[in-house]
Amino acid sequence: MALTGTELATFAAGCFWGVEAKFAALPGVHRAVSGYTGGAYPDPTCETVCHQAKDDLNGHAEAVAVTFDPSVISYEQLLGVFWKLHDPTQLNRQGPDVGAQYRSAIFTHTSEQAAIASASKLALEQQLGKPVVTQIIAAGVFYEAEDYHQQYYAKKGILVPSCGL
């Protein structure tokens, strides 16, 4: 259930632990949740998405659903953070994490988000002078990751997230 005056954004930028931690720390972000989305496999788990990924049957990416207050932080600002969190020119990998589950993707919830994300990606490509492989696709079902993945760094007492960042 969404809070009044909030919007939802969903991003995949490699391993979700660091991505979740960075988004959760932003002013205006009410909640950042690690999970899986983008595939057809029902009720995915870490086991089916990451450990059995070589089968490439599930199609899900590790992603973070961000509930935010657009009067405090805009979707454009969230995109700015997203682009800086990972290398959007790497196909199906971020650092040592390799596989389609670590792909760069923006899962849009409205046609306005899709247009903003597309323009942002084009601007980044022009700035970098090379292709950005980030997928921009309509959001589907988001499955929250297992509890031990939520606020992973905070639970472990890690102050400087490193996974994929």
Side-chain angles (χ1 to χ4, degrees), residues 55-81:
D55 301 335
D56 201 27
L57 298 175
N58 67 69
H60 289 291
E62 286 195 12
V64 176
V66 180
T67 304
F68 67 101
D69 181 344
S71 71
V72 178
I73 188 166
S74 68
Y75 184 69
E76 291 90 339
Q77 289 171 306
L78 292 175
L79 283 168
V81 172

Side-chain angles (χ1 to χ4, degrees), residues 89 91 95 112 120 155 161:
T89 66
L91 183 62
E112 181 182 18
S120 181
K155 289 176 183 175

Side-chain angles (χ1 to χ4, degrees), residues 2-165:
L3 300 170
T4 303
T6 64
E7 290 184 23
L8 183 62
T10 305
F11 303 103
C15 173
F16 48 38
W17 295 339
V19 176
E20 177 200 87
K22 289 291 188 179
F23 278 116
L26 296 174
V29 170
H30 295 295
R31 187 170 186 242
V33 178
S34 293
Y36 314 106
T37 193
Y41 191 87
D43 301 316
T45 64
C46 183
E47 180 67 25
T48 60
V49 173
C50 299
H51 304 294
Q52 296 174 6
K54 61 183 168 271
D55 301 335
D56 201 27
L57 298 175
N58 67 69
H60 289 291
E62 286 195 12
V64 176
V66 180
T67 304
F68 67 101
D69 181 344
S71 71
V72 178
I73 188 166
S74 68
Y75 184 69
E76 291 90 339
Q77 289 171 306
L78 292 175
L79 283 168
V81 172
F82 167 76
W83 294 127
K84 291 176 184 170
L85 288 177
H86 71 302
D87 181 351
T89 66
Q90 290 189 350
L91 183 62
N92 295 337
R93 76 171 299 149
Q94 288 300 311
D97 298 322
V98 178
Q101 71 271 27
Y102 300 114
R103 67 188 178 270
S104 175
I106 301 167
F107 298 93
T108 60
H109 296 270
T110 66
S111 58
E112 181 182 18
Q113 281 186 357
I116 293 168
S118 294
S120 181
K121 177 181 173 181
L122 179 59
L124 183 63
E125 283 182 325
Q126 291 172 344
Q127 177 187 346
L128 296 176
K130 58 184 177 179
V132 170
V133 298
T134 304
Q135 298 174 324
I136 300 173
I137 50 181
V141 178
F142 182 87
Y143 299 91
E144 287 192 22
E146 299 82 353
D147 187 58
Y148 66 90
H149 286 301
Q150 305 303 331
Q151 297 88 42
Y152 183 83
Y153 287 126
K155 289 176 183 175
K156 297 288 184 184
I158 299 171
L159 301 177
V160 181
S162 61
C163 179
L165 304 175

